[in-house]
């Protein structure tokens, strides 16, 4: 079996007294799209944020391309800069609130990290950025500031921005939840294309349609653990666990 | 609904406010005024710039010093009780002229400018200025002050003398006399010009300083009153005379200056007329 | 009543002593000018140290900085001035030139004042910077970090440029306070306008020169306060989603 792109083993995370992740195991193969569903408070966002060490886990191991990016149990604040840099240059993240840099143009948003972190010269960073922005359909917006863009457009810029760092894995944290319904599609389309190109993706979402069509694996989380996982058709249409059934019953009613 | 934190914070502020007022209230009955020896009768409010040892010093309620005791003695003679109030020197003449106090005793030299604003009693003390320097300094006197930094107390005759005679590079006015002496000890000024008895007191009590020269300015201290108060003025002059005659003056003088009072003092009143 | 006006608004006295008081006021301005530059810089240093993420090895430094900021905001400025001018000259292990500084022709009270005001206003300004930095949403830092930027890169390119726009109004308030507080240095015989006013008061038995000094301050602080109000109103208008923020 090929080494998984991302492997989580026994990951625990607590915030103060609250244990949010209670032992999570997950394998994500290269090129796989894993969709993570669950009620709020289930820990799904936290799980994502462990993968790029925004929230370092207290316990457990996380392997990225075979490298252990945590130092082991009890390494809660393991902020060795080598590990962080390693992780964050290989893992890109897109947020629910876009988090574009409001004081920079669209183009600058995308070129900032490659220039500062990877040391790319301006010309190179800009031409790459332009290519990415065109790919997500925003080739005419280079010089605009984020405030001028719609939510969907901003999110696509955010995706381009994350892609500019040439990540191996992309994390999507409910990226369409803050969008007006008519703008959701453009973002999902972008993500679909990305998946088709072979990007390894972990997607926390409520978009069941997307999960079914694009996902290779669906994971249902509740109360800090993975309750059920499997192929989308199986989990979504024939959930085995009661909790999954309840959740899906509620969600599909929408 | 106000949150619990907000309520607690508000209560805390209120508590602090109330406590401060209460403490201030308790303090103020005693704070800057102290009742002198009771001669019974009406109080005589007396302003003074405290501290200025050995003339006036001490804590509220326990003021003491040559001026303080002299005033208490005079008050007794005229059937009044002296109550002292600490005040800053540069406003003291204006304040008594405005009626803020009945009288002012504060090692205050009688000068023509001041006489325009207030009335003075007969002189009660003969004084001069002194040049105070750090022990071992090679400044020998007022001539040696050329180009130096000289400390003085704001609004005093010492300040005037410094400006007129010292050709100092800078004359630095401090709010209180002792501040100037401290600056001298710290070395931020090279000399201090201040009333000679105060200088002598500093030499004895605080050490590290010495008098380079005494400058005989023939200053006379007087008790200041508002200009219209002729009745009170007469009473105080009368009281002063009695205190001098019955030996109380000499006693107080010896206590604070360890010397017999010079004979001129007893004739100062006549010379002034 | 007329006595009241006479005490405070004797124009004859104001006129006679105008240039003296003005000279003193220029000393307030000089002190202000020197301190404002130092304190803006010192405050920024303090704020940046304070912002260091917990967990880094520099934690003791961060703790010291927080303690510093708390202490120097808590002790009254007048006390600090007195402690510095009353204490430093006695620190005999320092050379005289440092204990009793007379640099650039300014007397030692000036420099004690500079030190005291910088120490205290550095702390106040650090808090203004901090508020500005914290007003930048947390998501910005997360986005920057997840793109691989280090903490200091994120601060430099993402956080501080945005924080900078939230700072002018409160900072201007601090600066107005600073200008007013330069008068406290009169207590150590620095010849600024209040000291001059009190000198005249002792000479003339009249407070008009002090009032004159007050009026000179008003000439500067009133318009400045208005400006602060305008800045605040303008910023409120700018707080829209993802507003394009102009960076100077």
């Amino acid at each position: 079996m090929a080494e998984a792109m991302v492997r989580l083993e026994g990951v625990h995370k607590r915030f103060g007294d609250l244990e949010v992740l209670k032992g999570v195991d997950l394998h994500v193969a290269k090129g796989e799209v894993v969709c993570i569903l669950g009620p709020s408070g289930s820990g799904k966002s936290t799980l994502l944020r462990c993968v790029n060490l925004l929230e370092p886990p207290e316990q457990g191991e996380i392997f990225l391309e075979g490298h252990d990016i945590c130092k082991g149990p009890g390494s809660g604040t393991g902020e060795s800069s080598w590990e962080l840099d390693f992780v964050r240059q290989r893992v890109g993240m897109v947020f629910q609130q876009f988090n574009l840099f409001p004081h920079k143009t669209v183009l600058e948003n995308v070129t900032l990290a490659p220039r500062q972190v990877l040391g790319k010269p301006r010309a190179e960073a800009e031409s790459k950025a332009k290519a990415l922005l065109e790919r997500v359909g925003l080739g005419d917006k280079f010089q605009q500031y984020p405030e001028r863009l719609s939510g969907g457009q901003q999110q696509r810029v955010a995706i381009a921005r994350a892609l500019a760092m040439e990540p191996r894995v992309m994390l999507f944290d409910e990226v369409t939840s803050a969008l007006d319904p008519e703008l959701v599609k453009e973002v999902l389309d972008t993500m679909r294309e990305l998946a088709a190109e072979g990007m390894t993706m972990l997607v926390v979402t409520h978009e069941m349609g997307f999960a079914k069509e694009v996902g290779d694996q669906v994971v249902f989380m509740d109360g800090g653990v993975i309750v059920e996982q499997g192929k989308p058709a199986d989990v979504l249409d024939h959930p085995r666990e009661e909790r999954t059934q309840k959740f899906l019953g509620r969600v599909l009613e929408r | 609904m106000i949150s619990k934190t907000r309520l607690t914070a508000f209560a805390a502020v209120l508590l602090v406010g109330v406590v401060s007022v209460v403490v201030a209230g308790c303090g103020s009955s005693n704070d800057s005024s102290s009742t002198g020896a009771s001669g019974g009768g009406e109080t005589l409010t007396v302003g003074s710039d405290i501290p200025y040892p050995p003339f006036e010093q001490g804590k509220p309620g326990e003021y003491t010093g040559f001026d303080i005791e002299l005033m208490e003695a005079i008050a007794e003679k005229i059937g009044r009780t002296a109550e002292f109030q600490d005040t800053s020197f540069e406003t003291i003449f204006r304040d008594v002229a405005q009626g803020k106090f009945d009288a002012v005793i504060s090692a205050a030299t009688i000068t023509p400018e001041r006489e325009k604003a207030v009335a003075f009693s007969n002189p009660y003390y003969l004084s001069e200025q002194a040049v105070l320097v750090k022990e071992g300094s090679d400044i020998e006197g007022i001539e040696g002050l050329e180009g130096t930094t000289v400390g003085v107390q704001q609004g005093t005759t010492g300040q005037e003398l410094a400006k007129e005679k010292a050709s100092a590079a800078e004359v630095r006015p401090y709010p209180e006399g002792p501040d100037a002496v401290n600056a001298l000890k710290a070395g931020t000024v090279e000399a201090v010009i201040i009333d000679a008895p105060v200088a002598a007191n500093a030499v004895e009590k605080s050490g590290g300083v010495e008098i380079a020269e005494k400058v005989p300015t023939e200053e006379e201290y007087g008790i200041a009153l508002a200009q219209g108060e002729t009745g009170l003025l007469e009473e105080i002059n009368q009281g002063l005379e009695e205190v001098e005659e019955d030996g109380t003056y000499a006693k107080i003088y010896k206590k604070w200056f360890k010397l017999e009072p010079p004979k001129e003092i007893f004739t100062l009143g006549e010379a002034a007329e | 009543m007329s006595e009241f006006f006479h005490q405070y608004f004797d124009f004859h006295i104001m006129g006679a002593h105008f240039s003296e008081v003005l000279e003193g006021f220029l000393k307030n301005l000089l002190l202000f000018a020197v301190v404002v530059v130092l304190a803006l810089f010192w405050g920024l240093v303090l704020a940046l140290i304070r912002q260091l993420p917990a967990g880094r090895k520099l934690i003791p430094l961060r703790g010291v900085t927080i303690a510093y900021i708390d202490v120097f905001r808590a002790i009254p400025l007048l006390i600090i001035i007195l402690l510095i001018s009353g204490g430093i000259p006695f620190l005999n292990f320092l050379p005289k030139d440092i204990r009793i500084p007379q640099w650039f022709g300014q007397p030692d009270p000036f420099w004690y004042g500079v030190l005291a005001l910088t120490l205290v206003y550095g702390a106040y300004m650090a808090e203004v910077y901090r508020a500005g930095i914290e007003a930048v949403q947390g998501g910005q830092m997360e986005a920057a970090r997840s793109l691989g930027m280090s903490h200091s890169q994120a601060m430099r390119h993402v956080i501080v440029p945005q924080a900078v726009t939230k700072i002018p109004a409160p900072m201007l308030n601090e600066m107005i306070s600073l200008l007013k507080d330069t008068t406290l240095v009169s207590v150590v015989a620095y010849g600024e306008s209040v000291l001059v006013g009190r000198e005249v008061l002792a000479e003339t038995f009249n407070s008009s020169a002090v009032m004159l000094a007050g009026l000179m301050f008003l000439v500067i602080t009133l318009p400045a306060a208005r400006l602060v109000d305008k800045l605040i109103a303008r910023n409120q208008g700018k707080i829209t989603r993802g507003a394009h923020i102009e960076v100077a």
Side-chain angles (χ1 to χ4, degrees):
Chain A
M1 184 173 74
E3 175 65 58
M5 178 67 88
V6 180
R7 191 154 53 95
L8 283 80
E9 285 182 7
V11 170
H12 289 259
K13 174 71 184 169
R14 56 171 1 113
F15 291 110
D17 286 335
L18 184 64
E19 200 179 12
V20 174
L21 292 176
K22 300 180 181 164
V24 173
D25 300 318
L26 186 63
H27 288 215
V28 181
K30 186 160 161 30
E32 230 191 327
V33 174
V34 174
C35 292
I36 306 177
L37 318 170
S40 44
S42 55
K44 43 193 209 301
S45 277
T46 311
L47 185 64
L48 223 56
R49 293 152 71 86
C50 280
V51 176
N52 75 346
L53 290 181
L54 275 182
E55 310 282 5
E58 265 88 35
Q59 217 187 317
E61 271 132 14
I62 302 184
F63 294 88
L64 194 59
E65 293 181 61
H67 290 95
D68 182 354
I69 64 176
C70 311
K71 284 201 288 249
S75 74
T77 55
E79 293 235 333
S80 140
S81 64
W82 178 87
E83 258 139 30
L84 271 186
D85 290 349
F86 177 86
V87 167
R88 295 195 183 147
Q89 289 164 34
R90 281 164 180 71
V91 179
M93 186 158 181
V94 184
F95 300 85
Q96 186 175 352
Q97 298 296 337
F98 331 142
N99 290 335
L100 291 183
F101 307 136
H103 58 300
K104 297 208 174 284
T105 62
V106 163
L107 187 63
E108 285 167 351
N109 260 274
V110 181
T111 58
L112 180 62
R115 287 176 67 190
Q116 296 303 327
V117 180
L118 300 177
K120 292 213 171 141
R122 181 176 167 161
E124 189 189 330
E126 283 190 355
S127 70
K128 172 120 203 263
K130 287 181 179 169
L132 281 171
L133 285 165
E134 279 175 11
R135 205 167 120 198
V136 300
L138 293 169
D140 56 337
K141 302 268 188 250
F142 299 150
Q143 295 306 326
Q144 298 272 26
Y145 282 89
E147 76 167 337
R148 293 291 181 83
L149 270 48
S150 74
Q153 291 168 328
Q154 289 190 50
Q155 199 60 298
R156 284 185 276 150
V157 173
I159 294 175
R161 180 175 70 171
L163 289 175
M165 291 295 286
E166 294 165 25
R168 312 280 208 281
V169 179
M170 283 284 278
L171 308 174
F172 293 85
D173 191 356
E174 299 206 36
V175 302
T176 52
S177 300
L179 292 176
D180 294 332
E182 61 267 20
L183 302 172
V184 169
K185 181 175 186 306
E186 62 197 62
V187 176
L188 291 182
D189 286 342
T190 308
M191 290 165 70
R192 196 184 316 253
E193 284 163 26
L194 206 51
E197 288 161 16
M199 174 65 76
T200 312
M201 293 162 54
L202 269 77
V203 182
V204 171
T205 187
H206 293 299
E207 298 290 332
M208 302 300 162
F210 178 86
K212 231 180 178 177
E213 290 170 35
V214 183
D216 298 308
Q217 228 199 115
V218 162
V219 166
F220 173 67
M221 280 187 74
D222 192 9
V225 293
I226 293 182
V227 171
E228 195 169 338
Q229 62 186 100
K231 292 216 186 20
D234 294 337
V235 178
L236 293 173
D237 293 333
H238 310 289
R240 289 194 306 276
E241 300 288 329
E242 192 190 321
R243 279 196 274 178
T244 323
Q245 292 164 4
K246 266 171 79 173
F247 174 76
L248 288 174
R250 279 204 304 261
V251 174
L252 289 176
E253 271 162 34
R254 281 162 68 211
Chain B
M1 213 30 215
I2 308 179
S3 83
K4 200 157 176 214
T5 326
R6 283 252 172 102
L7 219 47
T8 318
F10 180 70
V13 170
L14 206 54
L15 186 64
V16 169
V18 168
V19 169
S20 315
V21 169
V22 169
V23 167
C26 290
S28 73
S29 59
N30 243 350
D31 77 334
S32 48
S33 58
S34 83
T35 314
S38 59
E42 243 181 283
T43 43
L44 187 74
T45 54
V46 183
S48 188
D49 173 25
I50 302 164
Y52 198 61
F55 289 98
E56 40 266 342
Q57 60 195 42
K59 292 198 293 274
E62 299 159 5
Y63 290 138
T64 181
F66 178 78
D67 280 350
I68 305 288
E69 290 191 18
L70 180 63
M71 198 67 209
E72 282 172 350
I74 293 176
E76 192 174 344
K77 292 290 184 204
I78 64 176
R80 307 274 293 262
T81 308
E83 206 178 272
F84 294 95
Q85 238 181 324
D86 185 14
T87 183
S88 70
F89 194 71
E90 81 261 9
T91 54
I92 209 168
F93 299 110
R94 179 193 65 177
D95 288 348
V96 72
Q98 289 303 309
K100 190 170 169 193
F101 319 110
D102 294 323
V104 155
I105 190 167
S106 199
T109 306
I110 302 172
T111 70
E113 291 81 42
R114 291 173 183 173
E115 276 179 316
K116 290 189 198 146
V118 296
F120 279 103
S121 69
N122 291 335
Y124 69 87
Y125 188 87
L126 264 182
S127 188
E128 54 190 354
Q129 295 291 320
V131 176
L132 196 63
V133 297
K134 222 164 169 177
E135 233 167 30
S137 154
D138 50 1
I139 294 177
E140 286 184 352
I142 208 162
E143 309 294 323
L145 292 180
E146 192 170 333
T148 61
T149 313
V150 177
V152 295
Q153 183 183 6
Q154 218 174 6
T156 59
T157 50
Q159 182 176 30
E160 279 170 38
L161 180 65
K163 284 189 187 160
E164 279 166 37
K165 295 273 175 56
S167 11
E170 193 195 335
V171 174
R172 260 193 217 168
Y174 287 88
E176 298 290 344
D179 294 338
V181 177
N182 284 337
L184 177 65
K185 287 166 71 174
T188 55
V189 299
E190 292 160 78
V192 165
I193 296 185
I194 202 169
D195 294 356
V198 177
N201 184 270
V203 170
E204 188 191 326
K205 292 278 162 55
S206 80
V209 294
E210 59 185 15
I211 294 182
E213 184 190 349
K214 289 205 190 155
V215 183
T217 48
E218 301 189 344
E219 291 175 46
E220 298 172 341
Y221 294 168
I223 299 170
L225 286 92
Q227 273 174 346
E229 297 286 329
T230 38
L232 184 57
L233 184 60
E234 264 176 48
E235 281 185 74
I236 286 184
N237 277 334
Q238 181 65 27
L240 176 60
E241 203 178 314
E242 288 174 30
V243 163
E244 286 174 357
E245 276 167 11
D246 73 1
T248 313
Y249 182 95
K251 208 166 101 194
I252 301 177
Y253 195 102
K254 270 201 289 243
K255 174 180 175 187
W256 289 99
F257 302 112
K258 318 266 193 299
L259 299 166
E260 290 288 338
K263 299 242 183 24
E264 295 87 7
I265 292 193
F266 301 104
T267 53
L268 283 177
E270 294 147 26
E273 272 153 33
Chain C
M1 203 44 204
S2 72
E3 184 58 36
F4 173 84
F5 278 113
H6 173 65
Q7 268 304 312
Y8 289 114
F9 290 102
D10 184 330
F11 295 117
H12 176 67
I13 291 182
M14 284 191 181
H17 296 277
F18 186 84
S19 52
E20 266 174 87
V21 177
L22 182 62
E23 239 183 271
F25 185 64
L26 291 179
K27 294 201 169 146
N28 291 98
L29 291 179
L30 177 64
L31 186 54
F32 169 80
V34 171
V35 173
V36 95
V37 167
L38 293 174
L40 278 173
F41 177 71
W42 176 227
L44 184 58
V45 167
L46 289 170
L48 289 177
I49 296 180
R50 205 192 177 297
Q51 281 306 113
L52 288 177
R56 284 264 210 103
K57 286 184 192 88
L58 296 162
I59 261 214
L61 197 56
R62 182 166 171 259
V64 165
T65 305
I66 294 179
Y68 172 98
I69 293 176
D70 285 346
V71 164
F72 277 95
R73 289 194 312 151
I75 301 186
L77 179 53
L78 184 56
I79 292 184
I80 305 248
I81 293 175
L82 290 171
L83 288 177
I84 285 181
S85 62
I88 290 197
F90 290 102
L91 297 177
N92 288 312
F93 56 86
L94 292 172
K96 176 150 187 228
D97 203 37
I98 297 203
R99 276 187 296 128
I100 303 180
Q102 307 267 19
W103 311 325
F104 302 111
Q106 293 298 328
D108 48 283
F110 176 82
W111 295 110
Y112 297 142
V114 167
L115 181 60
L117 287 166
T118 304
L119 288 177
V120 170
Y121 272 85
Y124 281 114
M125 288 178 174
E127 286 297 282
V128 172
Y129 286 125
R130 173 162 87 105
I133 288 174
E134 289 182 358
V136 177
Q137 297 166 313
Q140 291 290 301
M141 184 54 113
E142 288 191 337
R145 299 287 264 144
S146 53
L147 285 168
M149 289 196 240
S150 69
H151 176 81
S152 45
Q153 282 175 327
M155 288 297 277
R156 206 182 126 214
H157 295 283
V158 175
I159 305 291
V160 172
Q162 291 183 64
V164 157
T165 60
K166 308 196 193 296
I167 283 168
M171 196 54 97
L172 201 51
N173 263 335
E174 291 299 338
M175 287 163 60
I176 294 174
S177 275
L178 172 60
L179 178 60
K180 294 187 291 176
D181 278 348
T182 57
T183 55
L184 289 174
V185 190
S186 66
V187 83
V188 292
Y190 176 54
E192 51 73 67
S193 56
V194 171
L195 190 75
V196 171
R198 293 173 72 181
E199 290 279 283
V200 174
L201 169 51
E203 257 177 68
T204 62
F205 314 108
N206 185 291
S207 299
S208 298
V210 179
M211 173 60 86
L212 181 60
L215 292 174
M216 290 187 183
F217 276 93
L218 276 185
V219 165
I220 298 201
T221 57
L222 269 186
R226 284 279 138 266
L227 179 59
V228 170
D229 291 342
K230 266 173 63 182
L231 280 179
I232 291 181
R234 194 150 59 102
N235 258 331
Q236 301 288 40
K238 267 195 182 152
I239 298 178
T240 54
R241 238 174 340 127
H244 162 219
I245 303 197
E246 241 152 39
V247 179

